[in-house]
Each structure stands twice: as structure tokens, then as C-alpha cells.
Amino acid sequence: MGRPRAFDTEAALDIAMRHFWNEGYAAARLDDICDEAGLSKPSLYAAFGDKDALYEKALERYAEVFKGRVIGALEGAASAAEMVEGYFSEVAAILTDRKLPLGCLRVNTSSECAESRPALAKAAEVQRSGTRDHLRALLQNYGLDSRSAQEMAQFMITLSDGLAAGARAGATPGQTRTTARLAAQSVSNLL
């Protein structure tokens, strides 16, 4: 039986998540992640596997933290329009938080990995689909039929991905918040 891990795996994943988010998959260096986490490469590999596996675990950690934060903000909304407003408001709050890297980890890296690392792009798409399905279920709870809820959820994800890409490309916090408000109004007008 091996020795128990002598490091905080969540803290190490948070460090890896920030490197992938900031630098992209290809540019993120395991040496830098190990140095910041205070780990040797063998310890990192033993805990998480290779770079692809570490990225997938970092993406799961990202979903746990940020999808949970966004979806949590929607609980208890009095109407579908209020839920939509809460969704875009929370997305904008994350995208304009200067303590966080720019954009969205999933959006930033999924197109980068599409051809060179299709399994990682697939993992990102699974995460996107999970968020879309959660939004669809919430919209159905507010009375939208299955097809309309699916279409609206897809539209919401597409708009929020665009917000994330814009934030990464240099949109100011004010521009991001304004665009999020307009996105919420657009979706609400279609409900």
C-alpha cells in the first residue's frame, strides 16, 4: 500500500485550472504547475495522470466551482425571465472578476483542442452539454415545452460562450455587463 498523499489535491487542481485557463492547453507547462503547487512531476503524475488527464480533471474542477456558482444563482427565481437574467448576471460577474483569468476555461481551450486533442474537446463539449441540459430543465420547470426549452438553453449557452470569448479578447467589464444585460433581454423577449 502506498503512502497517503501529502498535498491538497483541490489546491493543486486549482493551480492547474488557472494555468490551463490563462495559458491554454498547449502553452500550460507541467513544470510551472509543479513549481507553483510545490510538487514533483512524479507526484503530479501519480495523483492526476498525464497532461491530458490533468486537463480533464481541471476542467471538472472548473465545472464544479463555476457551473455550481452560476446554476446556484438561479435557484429560487420567480420566473423564467428572472432565471435568464440571473444566469447572464452571474456569467458577467465571473467574466468581469479580475481575480480570475480572462474568459472561460472551456471556451478558451475547446477550440484550441478541437483538432490536436479531440478527446479533450469532447470533454469540454460534455461539460457544455451538461450546462445546457440543466438550463433546459430549469426552463421546462417554468412551463416551456421541451423543444422550446432546448432551443432557449442552446441559445443561452451560445450567447454566454460569446460573452466569454469577448472577455478573453479584451472587452471591458462594462462592455461585458452591457452585453450580458442585452443577451438576457433578448432571451427574455423570446420566452
Side-chain angles (χ1 to χ4, degrees):
M1 185 160 97
R3 291 183 342 192
R5 290 200 177 101
F7 64 91
D8 181 344
T9 55
E10 280 190 1
L13 275 177
D14 286 345
I15 290 166
M17 176 180 69
R18 284 182 180 271
H19 277 271
F20 287 124
W21 192 352
N22 253 335
E23 300 155 21
Y25 174 82
R29 294 174 12 104
L30 292 180
D31 288 337
D32 294 338
I33 294 168
C34 287
D35 287 348
E36 189 175 336
L39 298 173
S40 66
K41 266 195 183 173
S43 294
L44 186 78
Y45 284 121
F48 303 111
D50 64 5
K51 186 177 180 180
D52 286 6
L54 177 61
Y55 170 79
E56 286 193 47
K57 288 178 177 70
L59 189 63
E60 289 169 11
R61 175 75 176 146
Y62 178 84
E64 176 186 313
V65 172
F66 294 101
K67 178 184 170 192
R69 181 175 156 183
V70 170
I71 299 299
L74 309 181
E75 303 300 324
S79 66
E82 188 177 306
M83 186 275 290
V84 167
E85 182 181 328
Y87 173 77
F88 284 106
S89 177
E90 191 61 32
V91 166
I94 292 167
L95 294 174
T96 59
D97 183 341
R98 292 304 173 214
K99 292 178 270 176
L100 299 173
L102 295 174
C104 163
L105 171 63
R106 179 186 52 76
V107 172
N108 293 355
T109 57
S110 60
S111 59
E112 172 192 1
C113 294
E115 291 187 27
S116 63
R117 294 273 193 269
L120 299 183
K122 175 72 175 160
E125 180 52 35
V126 166
Q127 186 184 100
R128 184 179 197 269
S129 295
T131 302
R132 184 197 58 229
D133 292 346
H134 198 105
L135 290 171
R136 178 192 43 75
L138 286 170
L139 289 165
Q140 283 183 278
N141 288 343
Y142 290 107
L144 269 72
D145 63 78
S146 180
R147 181 174 179 223
S148 295
Q150 180 70 17
E151 290 172 348
M152 283 299 160
Q154 181 63 43
F155 187 42
M156 289 171 69
I157 288 290
T158 301
L159 290 172
S160 61
D161 285 357
L163 284 167
R168 180 70 174 192
T172 67
Q175 290 168 330
T176 299
R177 284 189 291 274
T178 297
T179 305
R181 181 179 48 77
L182 293 171
Q185 287 174 354
S186 297
V187 173
S188 292
N189 289 338
L190 294 171
L191 294 175

